[in-house]
Amino acid sequence: MQAKHYATNVSVDRPDIQAFVGSLMEHGSSKGVFVNTSSFSTQAMVSVCHLSQRVILLGGITLADLIPAKRGFARTDMYHHADEGVDCLKIT
């Protein structure tokens, strides 16, 4: 598992995923989870589709959905990531 806290205007790109997969291979693992508080570039998302390893990408929106609202967390600061055409959550 790898977790990153990037600024809302910075997305995880393909080289970050490639480095993560290299680390998985080095440790003999066939699965991994990459958590990021902002978003993933299109190239990063496409790259995991062609891997022999199973890599799950959890970005800001998905991450926010996993946090129970009863604990005081809510989607309150949304913005649109024009480059990727997706809505993102700013987690502060």
Side-chain angles (χ1 to χ4, degrees):
M1 174 179 251
Q2 185 163 353
K4 298 283 186 182
H5 181 204
Y6 286 153
T8 56
N9 63 334
V10 177
S11 61
V12 173
D13 207 357
R14 185 176 179 201
D16 299 308
I17 301 301
Q18 289 172 321
F20 177 60
V21 171
S23 179
L24 291 175
M25 293 172 63
E26 184 178 311
H27 291 89
S29 180
S30 61
K31 299 180 230 176
V33 178
F34 199 116
V35 180
N36 175 27
T37 56
S38 63
S39 60
F40 294 93
S41 72
T42 302
Q43 294 84 5
M45 291 185 282
V46 168
S47 71
V48 299
C49 297
H50 304 289
L51 297 172
S52 57
Q53 296 80 10
R54 179 166 162 80
V55 175
I56 297 171
L57 303 178
L58 292 176
I61 295 292
T62 306
L63 187 59
D65 286 341
L66 296 174
I67 299 171
K70 64 183 176 186
R71 295 216 172 138
F73 294 97
R75 289 189 195 189
T76 57
D77 194 2
M78 300 293 294
Y79 70 98
H80 186 73
H81 194 288
D83 292 341
E84 295 179 38
V86 295
D87 291 326
C88 299
L89 173 67
K90 179 179 179 184
I91 298 175
T92 56

